Amino acid sequence: MYRKLEKEYNSKVLVYITSDRNNMGAQIAPDVIDFFIGHLDKIGISKKISLYLYTRGGDTAAAWNIVNLLRMYCDELQVIVPHKAHSAGTIISLGANEIIMTKQATLSPIDPSINTALNPSIPNGMGNTFPVSVEAVKGYLEFAKEELAIKDDVALSNILIKLSDYVHPLVLGQVYRSRAQIQMLAEKLLQNQVTNKEITKKIIAFLCSESGSHDYTINRREAENDLGLKVSKPTDVQYSIIKAIYDDINNELQFNKAFNLAEINGAYAVRRCLVESLKGGADYFVTEGECIHGQDTNGQHVVQNRATFEGWRHEDKEIKVLEVNDLENEEVYYEKSDEFQV
């Protein structure tokens, strides 16, 4: 399917998937960069690269790094969105020359959230903290000034002091810096697909604040007609390939099936992130463990979960073409293995 997609778009295809499976999700993170480099070195400098992307988001700096890295290996960058490319995934999409979106594909706002050790603690959250949304802080202050019509400087100062009782002042400072940074990054990335400065400002304003919520989704029609992004829809043939790839990956990562230890008895291995290409094979982030069911001294059912490994593994999936059967317009190939498989 990857080879067919490369033929359709006359490009080299690189696939990046971060699972949003309940209890076993993953996010765009800096640790993926070295694996991108490994695949891109094997693919080599290319006229065009198509990044097949599915993600709910993650680290903003990692997304920026991924776009810059991809553009060092190609003249034209295309992002293919089969379903979700949200938050940091939308940031990656903004850096492309063209975004291919299916009927069900969605982008999202790019307003960041701050996650630091100084964030507010979640009660009984075993040391976990609340992410602090940049736009939520802005909304709190605007609510006081605009909706409540508070104009007095002393009153506004007290409101800010009250906020700092819950959110550390250093986190509030990071909120301000992150908001300025995300707008700067978006402007730089959009230069590859939008040349009109007014349209660029409109896109940034909507994606950073005017959408109203980080959960807002942007479909293909809105992305192209309302925002002015360079969006293309796939042909019927291209869509069938894109959808088939998504269905296959969904079956492998089980996006729609929550990970539930109560349903597992014995060893398990859950893939949570994929980076794949024809030349580079498959790198995947996996959580492995063993789940044992039993009873305690009171006869109550208990589940013991023992993690055995969590990290990246490599699988060689390189496929080489032997010949092309023009009669049926299908490629005949074999997989690298001990025996030829035609």
Side-chain angles (χ1 to χ4, degrees):
M1 289 187 285
Y2 292 166
R3 193 173 295 282
K4 288 180 178 179
L5 199 61
E6 287 190 343
K7 187 175 180 181
E8 282 293 321
Y9 286 111
N10 192 26
S11 67
K12 300 297 182 183
V13 169
L14 180 60
V15 177
Y16 181 35
I17 310 292
T18 65
S19 175
D20 57 356
R21 183 180 183 183
N22 194 17
N23 299 325
M24 275 293 177
Q27 290 189 323
I28 295 172
D31 64 345
V32 78
I33 301 300
D34 285 342
F35 298 97
F36 264 84
I37 293 171
H39 282 264
L40 290 169
D41 280 343
K42 291 178 180 178
I43 292 171
I45 304 299
S46 306
K47 183 176 180 181
K48 181 180 178 182
I49 290 178
S50 297
L51 178 68
Y52 186 102
L53 180 65
Y54 178 94
T55 183
R56 291 294 298 273
D59 187 87
T60 299
W64 166 255
N65 200 342
I66 288 169
V67 174
N68 286 325
L69 181 63
L70 287 166
R71 300 205 70 89
M72 292 298 293
Y73 283 81
C74 65
D75 297 324
E76 181 182 353
L77 176 61
Q78 179 185 72
V79 171
I80 300 173
V81 183
H83 198 316
K84 301 170 186 173
H86 294 174
S87 193
T90 298
I91 290 174
I92 294 174
S93 301
L94 296 181
N97 298 92
E98 178 187 41
I99 309 171
I100 305 297
M101 296 181 68
T102 64
K103 294 183 288 292
Q104 62 270 27
T106 54
L107 306 175
S108 81
I110 59 174
D111 52 302
S113 293
I114 307 301
N115 289 284
T116 74
L118 296 175
N119 279 39
S121 298
I122 299 174
N124 301 320
M126 296 169 47
N128 294 321
T129 59
F130 284 109
V132 177
S133 167
V134 170
E135 291 305 313
V137 171
K138 178 190 173 190
Y140 170 77
L141 297 174
E142 288 183 346
F143 173 75
K145 290 189 292 184
E146 297 177 12
E147 293 296 322
L148 301 182
I150 298 174
K151 305 297 182 181
D152 181 72
D153 290 341
V154 175
L156 290 173
S157 296
N158 289 333
I159 288 171
L160 183 59
I161 292 171
K162 189 66 176 178
L163 176 62
S164 66
D165 288 341
Y166 293 92
V167 183
H168 196 282
L170 292 180
V171 175
L172 292 175
Q174 183 65 23
V175 162
Y176 174 78
R177 293 179 67 242
S178 294
R179 188 167 187 269
Q181 182 190 52
I182 200 70
Q183 292 175 345
M184 179 270 292
L185 295 181
E187 184 175 5
K188 285 180 176 292
L189 291 170
L190 281 167
Q191 293 175 3
N192 297 303
Q193 62 175 286
V194 179
T195 56
N196 187 301
K197 291 185 177 180
E198 291 303 315
I199 294 178
T200 297
K201 289 180 181 179
K202 173 186 172 183
I203 294 171
I204 293 172
F206 184 82
L207 293 179
C208 291
S209 61
E210 292 179 4
S211 58
S213 169
H214 194 71
D215 296 327
Y216 185 87
T217 55
I218 303 164
N219 61 28
R220 182 173 69 194
R221 188 171 297 168
E222 184 176 8
E224 181 180 13
N225 298 337
D226 296 348
L227 292 183
L229 293 171
K230 188 174 181 182
V231 174
S232 299
K233 64 179 181 179
T235 65
D236 290 343
V237 172
Q238 291 164 349
Y239 174 75
S240 66
I241 300 169
I242 293 169
K243 184 64 164 58
I245 291 172
Y246 172 79
D247 289 342
D248 188 73
I249 292 172
N250 186 7
N251 184 58
E252 181 178 352
L253 272 62
Q254 300 184 40
F255 298 143
N256 303 319
K257 187 178 187 300
F259 180 77
N260 186 356
L261 288 173
E263 299 175 353
I264 299 171
N265 191 7
Y268 63 86
V270 181
R271 296 189 179 190
R272 303 168 66 179
C273 180
L274 295 176
V275 183
E276 293 187 340
S277 67
L278 287 174
K279 291 287 186 180
D283 290 292
Y284 56 93
F285 187 89
V286 63
T287 295
E288 299 173 0
E290 185 177 14
C291 188
I292 301 173
H293 294 253
Q295 291 183 335
D296 61 16
T297 55
N298 297 320
Q300 297 294 318
H301 180 262
V302 294
V303 179
Q304 291 183 328
N305 178 38
R306 183 172 64 91
T308 57
F309 176 80
E310 186 167 85
W312 288 88
R313 294 194 184 280
H314 178 76
E315 183 177 280
D316 193 357
K317 289 184 176 180
E318 182 179 355
I319 295 175
K320 295 183 178 180
V321 174
L322 288 180
E323 60 179 306
V324 177
N325 185 343
D326 291 326
L327 182 63
E328 295 182 0
N329 214 14
E330 294 180 353
E331 292 181 352
V332 181
Y333 57 86
Y334 71 90
E335 294 186 11
K336 283 180 67 176
S337 62
D338 294 335
E339 296 181 356
F340 290 104
Q341 298 178 344
V342 178

